[in-house]
Amino acid sequence: MATVTTGSSRVGRALRPTTKALPGHTRVHNRSLVLAHLFHVGPSSRADIARSTGLTRVTVSDLVGDLVAEGLVAEVGVRTDGRVGKPATIVAMRTDDLVVVAVDLTDDEVLRGAILTLVGDVVTRAERPLAGSTGEDALDLVEDLCRELLASADRPVVGLGIASPGVIDPDGVVVQAPNRGWYQVPLAARLSARLGVSVHVANDANTRALAEFTYGDAAGQGVLVLTVGAGVGAGIVVDGALVRGRHQAAGEIGHVTVVDPRDEQPLPCACGRTGCLETVLSVPALRRRTAGLDRESSDAALASAGRLLGMALAPVVSALDLAEVLLSGPPELLDGPLREAALETIRERTMPVIGSGLSLRLGSLGEDVALAGAAVLVLSGQLGVT
Ligand SMILES: [Zn+2]
């Protein structure tokens, strides 16, 4: 019998499926149900899978047979729990024997990539300095980094996931990413054709929200993950599903105007207007705001940025009745007076039933969160594990 390490194969909660299975897709849908069960619950018998998915024993045995043949699932032993009758064979998803290539294009200076197991553990890393490249040059660097990672994989690669800044459509087309000079770039199709692997691309803030939900401990009923980096953006999961919006731009709160000219001089923003949340809250903006100040003044400057963040978030928290807001970015800037002032402001401005129970904290996944989210894109896009 195959021996496979399955120690860490129990992972997270399931995202609510957002597409309905059509009759012709039943087999694909059922296959996803089996994989999702094994991914989230861990090693199980065929009877366990049948019980939890509602599929018949025959259908489950058939699907498991196919998955074993494909190398996605393995028989890992028998359950000897003292029950009368034939011991049940246990099957498991080969979460440590298969890998995903993940790339994070969020940073303005360096493209980061890694090979991850299906449970989100990093196996190897690689980087490419962006060195001011944009447009076609930047795309070549992305391709080059993906090639290096694919070549270094020592296990079968399930797919390639990319977290990109900008507005990304469901087919992996970068509709616009102004900082990279990309407009209507079919990034997923282009890389898939050139690299011979399935490619899934999504907005970086959305991938962070997916990672905190799948691998972290974010509340599935309603969480907003706010990414604070060179820019400011958010990914939102409500009722177990990512909120996308009409233009795939849900969560773009970085360009909501928050600075009142009567309080402080609004600064120009990359979007062409002035006083956007991003001009106050991005990492460069926070560093400028606190540069050269003593501790007390620096704390006051961070708290004033936190109040503006709270003003921008209060209507969002109210409209969606969110349970949690997670901040993803440098803890030394975010986790202190800024976070406290933001939470206080949200509570002042929302109904007690919503604001009083709200949690506002730092994300649990640290700096690899975008890479982990890119891996989730592959799990859901490639294997149907959501
Ligand atoms: Zn702006």
Side-chain angles (χ1 to χ4, degrees):
M1 188 146 301
T3 54
V4 173
T5 313
T6 56
S8 54
S9 59
R10 185 191 175 95
V11 181
R13 275 98 10 97
L15 276 177
R16 180 168 58 80
T18 50
T19 48
K20 243 189 167 154
L22 300 169
H25 297 151
T26 304
R27 191 172 175 80
V28 174
H29 177 70
N30 290 348
R31 179 181 184 274
S32 299
L33 288 179
V34 172
L35 282 173
H37 170 91
L38 291 173
F39 184 72
H40 294 292
V41 178
S44 307
S45 71
R46 287 167 175 83
D48 295 336
I49 299 169
R51 253 193 310 278
S52 108
T53 58
L55 301 172
T56 65
R57 295 278 291 268
V58 173
T59 303
V60 168
S61 290
D62 197 25
L63 290 165
V64 166
D66 287 355
L67 291 167
V68 169
E70 284 176 57
L72 289 169
V73 165
E75 295 191 338
V76 293
V78 290
R79 182 191 286 148
T80 49
D81 54 5
R83 276 191 238 168
V84 181
K86 194 174 156 222
T89 303
I90 302 301
V91 295
M93 196 164 164
R94 301 177 65 193
T95 44
D96 292 325
D97 300 333
L98 301 166
V99 291
V100 166
V101 172
V103 174
D104 174 12
L105 310 181
T106 315
D107 196 289
D108 278 338
E109 285 169 11
V110 61
L111 306 176
R112 294 198 169 85
I115 293 174
L116 293 91
T117 66
L118 298 192
V119 291
D121 294 332
V122 172
V123 180
T124 38
R125 295 173 190 275
E127 290 185 357
R128 282 287 180 289
L130 200 48
S133 300
T134 57
E136 214 32 58
D137 292 345
L139 287 170
D140 287 344
L141 286 173
V142 174
E143 184 178 329
D144 193 39
L145 175 62
C146 294
R147 246 180 232 292
E148 181 190 326
L149 286 161
L150 287 165
S152 69
D154 63 352
R155 281 163 264 185
V157 176
V158 177
L160 170 61
I162 298 182
S164 172
V167 176
I168 320 288
D169 83 5
D171 296 324
V173 175
V174 182
V175 178
Q176 54 168 301
N179 294 345
R180 301 285 170 275
W182 296 338
Y183 298 90
Q184 296 298 337
V185 174
L187 187 58
R190 173 184 165 129
L191 290 175
S192 181
R194 296 188 182 190
L195 302 171
V197 62
S198 296
V199 181
H200 304 270
V201 185
N203 169 267
D204 52 355
N206 285 347
T207 61
R208 284 161 197 257
L210 288 174
E212 291 288 357
F213 180 73
T214 303
Y215 296 124
D217 51 7
Q221 304 89 355
V223 60
L224 180 149
V225 179
L226 187 83
T227 301
V228 178
V232 172
I236 304 167
V237 174
V238 173
D239 296 335
L242 191 67
V243 177
R244 297 181 183 279
R246 181 179 171 202
H247 304 98
Q248 312 296 329
E252 290 286 354
I253 63 168
H255 300 285
V256 169
T257 307
V258 293
V259 177
D260 185 332
R262 287 167 298 188
D263 299 330
E264 62 179 279
Q265 179 66 39
L267 298 173
C269 180
C271 73
R273 297 183 301 140
T274 61
C276 296
L277 181 61
E278 194 163 294
T279 67
V280 176
L281 198 72
S282 70
V283 168
L286 289 173
R287 296 216 194 282
R288 268 196 309 275
R289 216 174 167 83
T290 52
L293 299 180
D294 63 27
R295 181 63 190 261
E296 199 177 330
S297 311
S298 167
D299 282 358
L302 289 171
S304 77
R307 274 191 293 280
L308 294 171
L309 171 61
M311 286 165 58
L313 284 178
V316 180
V317 168
S318 275
L320 298 173
D321 188 13
L322 297 178
E324 276 188 317
V325 173
L326 304 188
L327 304 178
S328 177
E332 71 278 14
L333 293 171
L334 303 178
D335 196 13
L338 188 153
R339 186 183 64 77
E340 286 153 21
L343 182 57
E344 197 182 296
T345 305
I346 295 170
R347 288 190 172 149
E348 280 166 12
R349 289 170 171 249
T350 54
M351 283 168 72
V353 67
I354 292 171
S356 62
L358 179 80
S359 148
L360 197 161
R361 61 183 174 89
L362 259 67
S364 59
L365 294 178
E367 61 183 31
D368 284 334
V369 58
L371 290 172
V376 175
L377 293 180
V378 175
L379 280 170
S380 63
Q382 200 66 23
L383 303 181
V385 174
T386 56

